[in-house]
Amino acid sequence: MEEPEPAGAAQPGLRSLLPPREFLSSRKGQLLLAESVLSFIIFICYIASLAASFMMAPLLEFLLALFLFFAYASKLNEKFKGLYWPLTDFLRCVTAAIIYFAISIAAVSKYNDGASKAAGVFGFVATIVFAIDFYITFNDLLSFLKQGSSDPPEGHKSEDENSDSDSD
């Protein structure tokens, strides 16, 4: 006869939806979590403000950051090798930092309500977080490109190398 689980124990099905502790304690996990939370707060602030026309950018950034958070947490980047994940993440961070900086300046300077000012201030903080993320990702890209220039990965041999091996 099976013993019942304690009331505080999580169900195995629900537990699989939560990201692993190792990812949450990693730098990338913390940055993606901060980006998601900040984007959601900015989205809510823009909904409550006179600058509601700016709400689409934080919503899209929230959804993209949330997708990448769960993609990295569930190791989809290791399963789908066709997409170069750091480059995708780098482009997302660069565009997000530029967009947040631009709409934050507009929200703070053009609108006088408190929610617009709060969205602008959170937008400047999000700009800094996204800039930190794209700086770290850029360094990863550089190290990959330096390593890749000296010796190509197995699946990415040049045409010359393939033709040499075919002629033997």
Side-chain angles (χ1 to χ4, degrees), residues 104-163:
S104 296
I105 289 174
V108 169
S109 64
K110 189 175 178 184
Y111 298 96
N112 290 327
D113 61 318
S116 295
K117 301 282 186 198
V121 169
F122 280 118
F124 287 126
V125 173
T127 300
I128 294 168
V129 171
F130 278 101
I132 291 169
D133 195 6
F134 84 70
Y135 176 75
I136 292 169
T137 307
F138 181 72
N139 287 336
D140 292 343
L141 280 172
L142 279 181
S143 65
F144 171 77
L145 290 175
K146 286 179 183 176
Q147 174 235 351
S149 64
S150 62
D151 117 84
E154 281 298 311
H156 297 72
K157 289 185 178 180
S158 67
E159 291 296 322
D160 295 334
E161 292 173 358
N162 289 334
S163 63

Side-chain angles (χ1 to χ4, degrees), residues 7 12 16 23 59 61 63 71 73 82 93 101 117 121 123 130 144 159:
S16 65
F23 180 71
L59 176 64
E61 291 303 331
L63 293 174
C93 290
F101 186 69
K117 301 282 186 198
V121 169
F130 278 101
F144 171 77
E159 291 296 322

Side-chain angles (χ1 to χ4, degrees), residues 4 16 21 33 44 50 69 73 91 98 128 139 147 149 153 166:
S16 65
R21 288 187 194 268
L33 188 61
I44 296 298
L50 297 173
F69 179 78
L91 292 174
I98 292 169
I128 294 168
N139 287 336
Q147 174 235 351
S149 64
D166 292 340

Side-chain angles (χ1 to χ4, degrees), residues 60-114:
L60 288 175
E61 291 303 331
F62 168 69
L63 293 174
L64 285 171
L66 200 62
F67 168 73
L68 281 178
F69 179 78
F70 283 110
Y72 280 128
S74 61
K75 299 187 192 276
L76 281 178
N77 58 332
E78 295 173 4
K79 295 175 186 170
F80 295 106
K81 298 283 187 184
L83 181 66
Y84 187 61
W85 291 84
L87 181 61
T88 306
D89 198 22
F90 173 75
L91 292 174
R92 177 191 64 88
C93 290
V94 168
T95 56
I98 292 169
I99 289 170
Y100 272 131
F101 186 69
I103 66 174
S104 296
I105 289 174
V108 169
S109 64
K110 189 175 178 184
Y111 298 96
N112 290 327
D113 61 318

